[in-house]
């Protein structure tokens, strides 16, 4: 994630998406665990996933390495989204 961000530092579109997903990523933990709000956390994790996928799509043509570096992260966030959604449904 850090390498992809560093590679996108000079490109405003990539950097804005990278910063967005970082802010959302950091927001998820206190909302889910601290505030015990799995519904709100689900909105955050889905927004994170959208930002990560948008980063991959926008960087694909101009910096494929950065895009490829975030594919495992996108998979992890998708898995976390399923877990979070399961908790919302089961509660």
């Amino acid at each position: 994630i850090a390498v992809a961000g560093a590679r996108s530092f000079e490109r405003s579109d990539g950097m804005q998406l990278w910063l967005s997903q970082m802010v959302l990523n950091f927001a998820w933990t206190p909302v889910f665990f601290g505030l015990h709000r799995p519904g709100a956390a689900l909105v955050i994790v889905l927004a994170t996933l959208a930002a990560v996928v948008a980063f991959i799509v926008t960087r694909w043509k101009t910096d494929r390495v950065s895009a490829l570096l975030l594919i495992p992260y996108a998979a992890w966030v998708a898995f976390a989204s399923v877990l979070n959604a399961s908790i919302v449904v089961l509660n």
Side-chain angles (χ1 to χ4, degrees), residues 23-57:
V23 168
L24 290 163
N25 184 329
F26 288 127
W28 182 86
T29 300
V31 172
F32 187 86
F33 290 111
L35 298 175
H36 304 286
R37 302 281 313 266
L42 180 59
V43 172
I44 293 169
V45 77
L46 290 174
T48 304
L49 181 58
V52 172
V53 170
F55 178 89
I56 292 168
V57 169

Side-chain angles (χ1 to χ4, degrees), residues 5-69:
R7 291 177 60 95
S8 301
F9 187 72
E10 296 177 4
R11 298 170 183 95
S12 64
D13 60 338
M15 183 50 63
Q16 289 176 350
L17 288 167
W18 187 85
L19 285 172
S20 297
Q21 66 83 22
M22 288 302 294
V23 168
L24 290 163
N25 184 329
F26 288 127
W28 182 86
T29 300
V31 172
F32 187 86
F33 290 111
L35 298 175
H36 304 286
R37 302 281 313 266
L42 180 59
V43 172
I44 293 169
V45 77
L46 290 174
T48 304
L49 181 58
V52 172
V53 170
F55 178 89
I56 292 168
V57 169
T58 60
R59 304 304 306 143
W60 188 257
K61 288 186 181 181
T62 57
D63 186 6
R64 190 157 294 177
V65 172
S66 291
L68 290 170
L69 285 170

